[in-house]
Amino acid sequence: MQIEEIVISKAILQSYFRKLCESLETQVAIVGGGPSGLTAAYFLAKGQVKVSIFERKLSLGGGMWGGGMMFNQIVVQREGREILDGFGVSTEEFSPNYWVADAVEAVSTICSQTAKAGAKIFNLISAEDVTIKEGKAIGLVLNWTAVETAELHVDPLCIKAQFIVDATGHPAKLAGVIQGKVGLKISSQRIVGEGPMWAEAGEKAVIENTREIYPGVFVTGMAANAVFGGPRMGPIFGGMLLSGKKTAELIQKRLQDNP
Ligand code: 48F
C-alpha cells in the first residue's frame, strides 16, 4: 500500500479545519484544560451540550501531572473520589476520607473520557480576550500560543459562545481581562486574589466560588478562588473536579431555562 506525504497533510488540514469551523459557534467555550476545565467539559458533553476547550499548552491536564512537588500522585477526598470513579480512574484509600491516584493515569483518563464524550479540544491556542456586546460576553478572542510567546504582531480570530468558562487556574486570565476592560459583576467588583494555603477551607471555597462573574462568563477551579479570595489548597484535587461538575450543572440549567 502506497503512503503519500501529501495525503497525510491533507488529512490533517481538512479534518482540523472541519473541527475548528464546527466550533466557531458553540454553546460553551472553556479556556484552560486543567482538571476543572476538563471536568466541566466532560459533564457538559455528556449532557449533549456543544462544548470546546482551548488550552494554551501542548498538553492538557494543567497542574495535575506533577502531583505534589513532582511526586506524581494526587489526593482526593470522598466526593472527589466519586468523580474519579465515574471517569474510571483507579484510586486507593490511604486513610479515611483520603484517596490517592496516579496523576498520569488521572490526567490521561480524564482527557480521554472528555474527548470521547464529544468535547472538542484545541491545544496550543490561547484566549487573549473576550468579545462583549451590550453587557454580555458572547465569545472568545483566540491566537496561537506560539504567536504570543514569540511576541509576533499577528491579529487573533474570534469564536462565538453562549457561555464562556474561565478555567485558567491561578492567573484567572479572563477574569483579569474583563476586570480591566469593563469591570466584573461581582460584589467585591474586583479580583480579590487567592488566599494562603488552607486545604480544607480552599476545597470548600472553590465550590462556593464557582459561579458567574460577568453575564455569560463562569469561573471554575483555582481561578474561582483567585477571583473571590479563597485559599489555595495544594495537591488535593477533589475541589477542582467538583467545581468543574458544578460549572457544568449551572450552565446546563441556564441553557434549559433559556435555550
Ligand atoms: O492550573 P490548572 O490545573 O487549573 P485548575 O483546573 O486546577 C488547579 C490545580 O491544577 C492546582 C491546584 C489545586 O489542586 O491549585 O493548581 O483550576 O489548569 C489551568 C489551565 O489553563 C491553561 C493553562 O495552561 C492550564 O493548562 N491556560 C491558562 N491561561 C490560558 C490557558 C489562556 N489564556 N488560554 C488558554 N489556556
Side-chain angles (χ1 to χ4, degrees):
M1 186 71 104
Q2 248 191 336
I3 294 192
E4 291 277 354
E5 293 80 4
I6 193 77
V7 180
I8 299 171
S9 301
K10 270 187 197 164
I12 289 172
L13 293 174
Q14 287 179 11
S15 60
Y16 185 90
F17 280 103
R18 190 172 61 237
K19 181 168 74 163
L20 184 59
C21 287
E22 281 169 9
S23 301
L24 283 182
E25 285 192 54
T26 190
Q27 286 178 293
V28 185
I30 298 178
V31 181
S36 63
L38 281 166
T39 307
Y42 170 78
F43 282 105
L44 285 163
K46 290 281 271 187
Q48 309 303 317
V49 175
K50 192 176 174 194
V51 54
S52 307
I53 300 181
F54 297 93
E55 163 56 50
R56 71 189 307 277
K57 295 198 174 147
L58 182 57
S59 58
L60 284 91
M64 213 185 218
W65 291 105
M69 208 175 144
M70 300 204 287
F71 299 105
N72 64 356
Q73 296 286 109
I74 58 161
V75 172
V76 289
Q77 61 281 63
R78 185 171 47 79
E79 299 84 350
R81 188 212 171 198
E82 284 165 15
I83 297 187
L84 286 185
D85 267 357
F87 278 120
V89 175
S90 338
T91 52
E92 192 185 323
E93 190 170 13
F94 178 74
S95 63
N97 201 33
Y98 298 82
W99 275 266
V100 283
D102 180 288
V104 174
E105 185 194 335
V107 176
S108 54
T109 305
I110 293 170
C111 282
S112 161
Q113 292 292 338
T114 304
K116 283 183 191 298
K120 299 291 176 239
I121 301 177
F122 298 90
N123 58 348
L124 299 166
I125 292 181
S126 293
E128 58 175 55
D129 205 347
V130 177
T131 311
I132 291 178
K133 289 190 187 171
E134 293 160 359
K136 182 179 184 305
I138 58 139
L140 288 174
V141 181
L142 302 170
N143 214 330
W144 298 113
T145 306
V147 164
E148 180 193 280
T149 312
E151 296 181 21
L152 301 177
H153 189 165
V154 178
D155 267 320
L157 289 176
C158 297
I159 62 133
K160 201 170 173 192
Q162 279 172 267
F163 293 100
I164 285 163
V165 179
D166 183 343
T168 60
H170 298 264
K173 164 77 180 174
L174 297 188
V177 165
I178 296 168
Q179 171 176 263
K181 294 195 171 177
V182 289
L184 296 170
K185 296 269 195 271
I186 57 176
S187 55
S188 63
Q189 296 191 341
R190 60 175 191 93
I191 297 172
V192 179
E194 74 187 34
M197 179 77 89
W198 183 2
E200 186 175 344
E203 287 287 275
K204 278 198 191 111
V206 75
I207 299 161
E208 283 159 27
N209 292 334
T210 298
R211 50 189 131 123
E212 197 169 20
I213 54 168
Y214 187 83
V217 183
F218 285 79
V219 69
T220 191
M222 205 52 221
N225 272 6
V227 168
F228 291 102
R232 61 185 302 202
M233 71 294 285
I236 179 158
F237 282 84
M240 297 302 125
L241 306 172
L242 292 159
S243 168
K245 185 167 187 250
K246 179 178 172 186
T247 306
E249 288 164 356
L250 292 173
I251 292 177
Q252 272 172 303
K253 171 133 195 3
R254 289 283 294 279
L255 286 168
Q256 276 156 15
D257 293 348
N258 211 347

